[in-house]
């Protein structure tokens, strides 16, 4: 089946630094990818929709300059958390649509210290 | 009122029992319905995907959609401890692939050996 590979699975960074999370579709082309954030024991919150070759669409309340999304090819989308702060610590998950549903990456646990 | 309502649980049942998980929704435009299973600190895994009303069975899992009542269900037969996870319902209108998923809050399920 369709696989979305997400890296890294876990990252710890210092406050003020930037962190890049990669999401790759391994055996299909993903025109659209979705980036979510999930807090403990809560459902997924959509942050932005990433479209190949164009600007991402951000959900209300999500800072575009803080969460930079790049979708330069049909198999790769990246999320960069810029100038990370402890409140950015969370579980970030990407997703892409396939013929049989929406497939999710394995998630990235970001801890900002 | 949320677009998708799902009892967050937690729900605990003995091994071997039949589990019933449900969601209600308010947007009649939803046409595609999905159930995801999410283990702790992992990305959601697609279990079932149905279009419009009807039933779909896959092994121990059965998904039901009743569009007239705006009600969807997931049944798990012969439940196993490995089924312990959070189950999320998700749905989208037509234009599959570009639309964002609308999730329920998730139900935490524990199967007791």
């Amino acid at each position: 089946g369709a696989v979305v590979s997400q890296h890294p699975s876990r990252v710890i960074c210092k406050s003020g630094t930037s962190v890049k999370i990669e999401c790759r579709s391994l055996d299909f082309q993903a025109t659209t990818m979705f980036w979510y954030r999930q807090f403990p024991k809560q459902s997924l919150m959509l942050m932005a929709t990433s479209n190949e070759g164009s600007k991402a669409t951000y959900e209300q309340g999500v800072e575009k300059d803080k969460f930079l999304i790049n979708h330069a090819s049909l198999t790769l989308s990246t999320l960069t958390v810029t100038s990370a702060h402890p409140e950015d610590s969370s579980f970030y998950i990407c997703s892409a649509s396939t013929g049989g549903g929406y497939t999710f990456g394995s998630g990235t646990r970001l801890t900002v210290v | 009122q949320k677009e998708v309502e799902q009892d967050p649980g937690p729900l605990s049942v003995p091994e071997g029992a039949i589990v019933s998980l449900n969601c209600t929704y308010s947007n009649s435009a939803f046409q595609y319905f999905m159930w995801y299973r999410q283990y702790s600190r992992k990305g959601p895994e697609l279990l079932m995907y149905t279009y419009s009303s009807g039933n779909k069975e896959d092994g121990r899992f059965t998904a039901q959609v009743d569009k007239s009542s705006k009600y969807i269900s997931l049944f798990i037969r012969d439940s196993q401890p490995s089924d312990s996870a959070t189950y999320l319902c998700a749905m989208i209108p037509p234009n599959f692939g570009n639309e964002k998923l609308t999730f329920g809050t998730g139900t935490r399920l524990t199967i007791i050996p």
Side-chain angles (χ1 to χ4, degrees):
Chain A
V3 175
V4 173
S5 176
Q6 185 173 345
H7 292 281
S9 58
R10 173 174 276 186
V11 59
I12 302 172
C13 71
K14 289 186 177 180
S15 186
T17 62
S18 294
V19 173
K20 180 184 283 188
I21 301 169
E22 289 191 350
C23 194
R24 293 181 185 273
S25 56
L26 294 189
D27 48 4
F28 66 100
Q29 293 183 332
T31 307
T32 303
M33 283 194 176
F34 303 88
W35 286 94
Y36 294 85
R37 184 173 180 174
Q38 187 177 34
F39 291 104
K41 298 183 180 180
Q42 293 189 23
S43 191
L44 287 78
M45 182 190 80
L46 181 66
M47 299 175 66
T49 302
S50 161
N51 297 295
E52 187 267 336
S54 63
K55 290 184 178 181
T57 303
Y58 290 82
E59 295 298 301
Q60 193 172 7
V62 177
E63 298 176 58
K64 301 177 184 181
D65 295 333
K66 181 161 192 62
F67 299 100
L68 299 179
I69 290 173
N70 184 282
H71 194 158
S73 78
L74 286 171
T75 58
L76 175 64
S77 177
T78 61
L79 168 68
T80 301
V81 182
T82 62
S83 186
H85 288 93
E87 57 265 30
D88 298 324
S89 298
S90 189
F91 193 55
Y92 293 88
I93 315 172
C94 63
S95 170
S97 65
T98 70
Y102 286 61
T103 300
F104 285 80
S106 54
T108 297
R109 181 158 303 281
L110 171 63
T111 303
V112 184
V113 297
Chain B
Q1 182 190 9
K2 292 182 182 178
E3 275 195 294
V4 180
E5 298 277 359
Q6 182 177 8
D7 186 341
L11 177 64
S12 295
V13 300
E15 183 177 355
I18 296 175
V19 176
S20 173
L21 303 166
N22 312 291
C23 289
T24 59
Y25 63 95
S26 57
N27 187 349
S28 58
F30 288 140
Q31 292 284 349
Y32 295 91
F33 303 90
M34 286 157 260
W35 283 96
Y36 287 87
R37 176 175 64 196
Q38 186 178 23
Y39 292 112
S40 181
R41 304 189 180 205
K42 298 290 184 184
E45 171 194 8
L46 180 64
L47 282 177
M48 301 287 285
Y49 155 50
T50 55
Y51 173 73
S52 197
S53 285
N55 295 354
K56 186 173 185 178
E57 187 174 321
D58 184 1
R60 296 185 295 112
F61 300 91
T62 300
Q64 288 185 352
V65 175
D66 181 349
K67 289 196 67 183
S68 62
S69 301
K70 297 189 178 66
Y71 187 87
I72 69 171
S73 301
L74 177 71
F75 297 97
I76 307 174
R77 290 184 298 281
D78 187 25
S79 55
Q80 305 293 312
S82 58
D83 295 328
S84 298
T86 295
Y87 290 79
L88 297 141
C89 64
M91 47 200 80
I92 53 170
N95 195 21
F96 185 93
N98 298 320
E99 290 283 347
K100 58 184 181 182
L101 287 169
T102 300
F103 281 97
T105 52
T107 300
R108 280 198 296 144
L109 173 66
T110 301
I111 306 298
I112 304 166

